[in-house]
Amino acid sequence: MFLNGLYVAVLSLLSPVVLFRMIRHGRYRRGIGQKLFGLSESAAARLRGEHEETIWLHAVSVGEVNLLPELVRRLSLRVNGRAIVVSTSTDTGYDLAVKHFGEERVFFCPLDFTWAVSRTLRNLRCNQLVLAELELWPNLIAAAEHVDCPVMVVNGRLSERSAAGYQRFAGLLSRTFGRLAAVGCQDEVTAKRFVACGVNPTRVHVTGSLKFDNAPRSRDTPDVAARVNWAGIDAWHRVWCVGSTQAGEEEMALAVYHRLREKHPELRLILVPRHPERFDSVAELVIAKGDRVVRRSRNDSQYSDQLDSDEVILVDTIGELKHWWGVAHIATVGGSFGDRGGQNMLEPAGYGCAVSFGPNTKNFDTIAGRLLDGGGAVRVADEAELEGFVRRCLEDIPAADDLGRSAQAIVDEHRGAYDRTLEMMGERCESLPTRRAA
């Protein structure tokens, strides 16, 4: 009850911000009933289909959702008589999950109110709950334990700062960590942090990062070819993709692009903002800087001729960035020059792009470290260093290609996390328990 009261107090404090975003940007509106009250019996029955019980996978947003298709595919071959359903917390995550799994298998995760999570678990008849990376909600995990539903974390990551924060509230949260049936961690350092936070050491496994397995292996795919054709990219072009950007990073990229294309007319720029609500403002920024913008969402933008030097492609759609990295020769991973903490740099690395990112990659420190240590990426501190990096990639193509090959080799070296994750899940749930009534 204490946590329910705390959540209500926090929501009350944040309500002006939430209401503003609901009205201004349309955020938080969708699935409001499922979020506040949990899944109804009818909604849960639709998700279960003809199955009596379910395995529930939860992924917060786009990045975590992208980890699940291969896991679901492999898991489907192993489970008998159980539906696999997927929840997410954001609109963009929900839309992407629907693309992957179909609307009949996707729902919005309830907020961590006792009544909402208990109702969802009960109506889903859930006998296994799998959390992607880490969504530590005490009421949800306690409610799962109450109905004998083991909770597992896959692709677990826990930063030093987050671990320290959890340990400051050990009296409240150590029991929650202790309830986890299994945790598949990305590396040894993360495993030690989970143990320090209260997970039984025998339940912690180093499985590696699913993102390595999820990284592409080749540009020679229909998805990449379709985007090359759509954009009018020709063999003489050198394409620079700046993806998962936040405010300020597009302006920096445009400034570098303008200075470099005077000597390098072969350079082309693709911008992929992280958040949909910024698509229009980024388009306006491109125009304000004197360029023409080609928006991916516009059906009439397909090219029959080469892309001109003053045309910037704006990918204002969800779930496509993975394929646009395959169009690029040079990649800059956004969210790393501000306070976000970086985004997934393994997708451009898997394609063999010459990869760069900014100084702040706290959310991907292990992955960034492996790429940097192996000579598969370059960290740049600011706009000047970013310009120097892109210039070198244009003027010394063999060196840029070597950087890309090193990135691919590092990705290939660390594949295999799906196999280890499924092995962990099988060890912990070889015979799933009979559910108690909630």
Side-chain angles (χ1 to χ4, degrees):
M1 294 301 294
F2 167 76
L3 283 174
N4 291 334
L6 179 62
Y7 294 148
V8 169
V10 171
L11 283 177
S12 298
L13 288 172
L14 294 176
S15 58
V17 176
V18 173
L19 287 171
F20 172 79
R21 291 181 178 177
M22 288 178 72
I23 295 169
R24 181 70 179 272
H25 301 298
R27 296 177 67 182
Y28 312 126
R29 295 179 189 174
R30 296 167 62 191
I32 190 70
Q34 293 179 2
K35 293 173 183 177
L36 290 176
F37 305 110
L39 277 179
S40 66
E41 173 59 39
S42 60
R46 172 182 60 82
L47 289 162
R48 291 198 313 271
E50 74 273 13
H51 302 288
E52 283 298 313
E53 296 181 325
T54 63
I55 297 174
W56 170 8
L57 280 67
H58 175 60
V60 183
S61 192
V62 170
E64 294 79 15
V65 169
N66 275 327
L67 298 175
L68 297 186
E70 180 63 14
L71 185 63
V72 169
R73 186 189 71 80
R74 296 190 187 198
L75 197 57
S76 297
L77 301 175
R78 298 187 175 206
V79 299
N80 296 311
R82 294 186 293 276
I84 300 175
V85 300
V86 175
S87 71
T88 185
S89 300
T90 67
D91 290 350
T92 53
Y94 182 91
D95 291 338
L96 184 59
V98 167
K99 282 185 179 180
H100 284 311
F101 310 112
E103 193 168 13
E104 69 280 0
R105 299 174 73 180
V106 179
F107 65 103
F108 281 101
C109 187
L111 297 176
D112 196 42
F113 293 111
T114 301
W115 58 84
V117 295
S118 296
R119 185 188 191 206
T120 299
L121 286 161
R122 180 178 64 249
N123 288 339
L124 280 177
R125 302 175 190 170
C126 184
N127 62 9
Q128 191 173 2
L129 173 57
V130 181
L131 309 176
E133 300 209 337
L134 180 62
E135 274 288 278
L136 194 75
W137 295 110
N139 284 338
L140 172 61
I141 294 172
E145 182 183 60
H146 182 67
V147 294
D148 287 331
C149 172
V151 181
M152 301 181 181
V153 175
V154 299
N155 208 53
R157 66 183 177 97
L158 188 58
S159 69
E160 182 178 5
R161 180 178 178 182
S162 295
Y166 287 134
Q167 289 175 59
R168 279 197 294 272
F169 297 95
L172 179 65
L173 295 177
S174 62
R175 189 175 179 186
T176 298
F177 277 99
R179 285 174 164 141
L180 296 174
V183 180
C185 300
Q186 296 185 24
D187 52 57
E188 291 281 358
V189 173
T190 300
K192 291 177 181 177
R193 289 171 184 161
F194 271 100
V195 171
C197 286
V199 182
N200 186 323
T202 64
R203 300 177 182 177
V204 177
H205 307 258
V206 178
T207 53
S209 174
L210 297 178
K211 287 185 168 68
F212 282 100
D213 285 40
N214 232 30
R217 294 176 182 268
S218 170
R219 299 173 185 266
D220 187 19
T221 69
D223 287 318
V224 172
R227 285 157 182 82
V228 169
N229 293 334
W230 183 91
I233 302 297
D234 199 19
W236 79 287
H237 289 142
R238 297 292 288 177
V239 180
W240 178 29
C241 182
V242 186
S244 290
T245 53
Q246 64 182 40
E249 291 177 337
E250 299 95 358
E251 188 166 9
M252 178 173 62
L254 285 165
V256 170
Y257 175 59
H258 288 160
R259 289 193 291 268
L260 290 179
R261 74 182 185 194
E262 294 178 7
K263 291 183 64 176
H264 297 279
E266 73 276 17
L267 180 61
R268 298 295 179 267
L269 177 63
I270 300 172
L271 295 176
V272 192
R274 173 72 174 168
H275 295 112
E277 62 266 25
R278 299 189 56 248
F279 289 160
D280 289 342
S281 63
V282 174
E284 292 167 2
L285 173 66
V286 173
I287 294 169
K289 296 296 181 181
D291 294 309
R292 289 182 289 170
V293 64
V294 180
R295 300 185 67 155
R296 172 64 170 158
S297 61
R298 307 294 166 84
N299 293 329
D300 60 353
S301 296
Q302 185 162 346
Y303 277 77
S304 58
D305 299 316
Q306 292 180 5
L307 185 69
D308 291 333
S309 63
D310 65 343
E311 292 175 317
V312 174
I313 290 178
L314 173 63
V315 180
D316 55 348
T317 50
I318 299 299
E320 284 198 77
L321 176 56
K322 180 176 183 177
H323 306 304
W324 283 102
W325 288 128
V327 178
H329 306 92
I330 307 164
T332 299
V333 183
S336 57
F337 292 89
D339 58 0
R340 180 166 297 280
Q343 297 296 151
N344 182 13
M345 57 280 293
L346 289 177
E347 289 177 350
Y351 283 119
C353 296
V355 178
S356 66
F357 40 77
N360 185 355
T361 54
K362 63 183 180 182
N363 293 331
F364 295 85
D365 269 348
T366 299
I367 291 172
R370 285 175 177 166
L371 288 172
L372 292 169
D373 292 344
V378 173
R379 189 189 297 278
V380 294
D382 50 29
E383 183 177 314
E385 289 193 9
L386 178 61
E387 181 175 347
F389 169 78
V390 178
R391 180 184 292 108
R392 289 192 300 274
C393 290
L394 293 169
E395 295 178 354
D396 190 348
I397 291 176
D401 291 344
D402 285 344
L403 185 65
R405 280 190 288 270
S406 295
Q408 282 184 311
I410 293 164
V411 172
D412 288 341
E413 179 186 348
H414 290 91
R415 294 188 192 272
Y418 280 110
D419 291 335
R420 292 186 288 271
T421 296
L422 285 165
E423 182 180 355
M424 174 196 77
M425 294 173 68
E427 287 176 358
R428 289 296 167 183
C429 288
E430 287 180 356
S431 57
L432 291 171
T434 303
R435 297 176 69 258
R436 289 199 304 256

